Amino acid sequence: MKREMDCSEARERLSDFFDGEMSNEVQMAMADHLAECEVCAQELAEFHDLSQMTAALEHPLPPPGLWDSLEAQLAQADGVSAEDLAAAEPFRWTTGPFVPLVMALAASVVFAIGWIGYQSNLNMLNLAISADFDQYFNVLHQDPVAAQQLLLAKYEGQPVDAESAVHLVGYQPTIVNGMPEGYAHHSCNVIKLPNGNAVHCQYLRPDGSALAIFEHDGERPAWFGDRPATEAVHGDTKLKMVDLDKRVAGTWRQGDRHITVVGAHDANEIGQLAGWFGERTDVIDQ
């Protein structure tokens, strides 16, 4: 029997859902509820916005010893010993021969702190994206509608066809123009991810199982977190495969963009799709 969830429970579990800290059964119940309840879906969107704002306030301190290390390196490069640099009178830090050294040192420290902050925020963002997609992977083969709602609940998106997608992503998506025989179109939408929009389509096989295909700019390793990727070659196409436990994902460069397949039965299915898209692109380009 399918588990149901009311608004009271959904609101209590928003944080766990956002962090991916719940069982697949509860995730699916939550996703089903969010698909039907605009109020709870809006609260989740606000929770997501608040989380991003909080992450943006991060101001990590530089690692211990950074200042001493930079000071020693700059002093050595300028022919001044670290002892002389430390003993310099205060006014000489702002006048005289020490000015270029001080300016270079200050710029280095500012850059280092800024870089550390940028990397920290980027890592937090990638972890959040990885958690979101991990939920998606776990739910897709059981309930594609719930899986789709997982992404739409966290990232603004809207249904599209080939024509409307052009206005949202700025190009004619390859994946909305059809699939090989044996894949029935289920849905297509554009999702607004932090690192760029992606076209997301779902297809159903004759056995009822789902396959998802994303078209996007650049590689998206953050989607797969710490899952290891293996490389393969199909014809002239270089593929990266990721094991999703019960299914397989694969990504490759297709023209100016990348295509990522999620929910394939095996690497052979991904290779066949890569070949099919490659042939279709060649025909379009001629």
Side-chain angles (χ1 to χ4, degrees):
M1 183 176 179
K2 198 170 185 179
R3 190 184 190 285
E4 296 184 356
M5 183 177 295
D6 58 22
C7 290
S8 177
E9 182 183 2
R11 288 167 183 166
E12 290 180 359
R13 292 180 175 272
L14 279 178
S15 178
D16 291 340
F17 180 75
F18 183 80
D19 295 332
E21 298 176 349
M22 54 175 58
S23 66
N24 288 345
E25 180 186 5
V26 179
Q27 285 180 14
M28 293 173 64
M30 183 79 164
D32 288 340
H33 178 78
L34 291 170
E36 299 175 356
C37 180
E38 293 184 3
V39 175
C40 289
Q42 179 60 34
E43 288 194 19
L44 179 64
E46 292 173 356
F47 190 91
H48 179 266
D49 292 342
L50 179 61
S51 177
Q52 288 189 320
M53 291 174 62
T54 303
L57 296 176
E58 287 286 321
H59 296 290
L61 295 174
L66 175 63
W67 179 272
D68 292 339
S69 175
L70 289 172
E71 185 179 67
Q73 292 179 39
L74 288 170
Q76 183 178 5
D78 201 55
V80 181
S81 69
E83 291 76 11
D84 291 341
L85 193 62
E89 296 180 8
F91 77 91
R92 294 187 64 192
W93 287 90
T94 55
T95 61
F98 284 105
V99 171
L101 188 60
V102 172
M103 293 180 65
L105 183 60
S108 299
V109 172
V110 170
F111 174 80
I113 294 175
W115 177 253
I116 293 169
Y118 168 77
Q119 288 295 321
S120 176
N121 288 337
L122 181 62
N123 289 339
M124 291 181 64
L125 178 61
N126 285 341
L127 286 173
I129 293 174
S130 176
D132 293 340
F133 273 83
D134 196 55
Q135 292 182 61
Y136 178 88
F137 300 151
N138 290 333
V139 176
L140 177 64
H141 69 283
Q142 303 175 46
D143 189 339
V145 175
Q148 175 179 265
Q149 189 58 37
L150 283 170
L151 293 184
L152 295 181
K154 294 191 176 184
Y155 305 103
E156 182 182 352
Q158 63 185 82
V160 296
D161 54 25
E163 183 176 348
S164 61
V166 175
H167 301 292
L168 294 173
V169 296
Y171 56 81
Q172 178 72 48
T174 303
I175 64 175
V176 299
N177 290 321
M179 283 280 284
E181 184 178 353
Y183 296 92
H185 178 266
H186 181 264
S187 64
C188 271
N189 48 70
V190 170
I191 52 176
K192 297 183 179 180
L193 296 166
N195 48 2
N197 293 348
V199 182
H200 163 239
C201 296
Q202 290 185 350
Y203 301 89
L204 298 179
R205 304 182 184 89
D207 62 2
S209 60
L211 181 82
I213 304 184
F214 297 81
E215 187 168 352
H216 47 89
D217 292 323
E219 294 189 54
R220 303 294 174 88
W223 292 1
F224 302 103
D226 57 1
R227 296 174 187 263
T230 58
E231 295 187 354
V233 177
H234 182 87
D236 296 329
T237 304
K238 295 181 179 180
L239 309 171
K240 287 187 178 180
M241 308 284 193
V242 180
D243 182 12
L244 301 179
D245 300 326
K246 297 181 180 180
R247 292 289 188 270
V248 178
T251 185
W252 67 90
R253 186 178 183 88
Q254 189 70 52
D256 294 332
R257 294 177 293 280
H258 284 73
I259 290 180
T260 297
V261 173
V262 176
H265 288 309
D266 50 36
N268 183 56
E269 183 178 11
I270 292 177
Q272 291 176 349
L273 288 170
W276 188 87
F277 278 112
E279 293 174 359
R280 190 174 182 84
T281 300
D282 291 340
V283 171
I284 293 174
D285 291 341
Q286 289 178 358

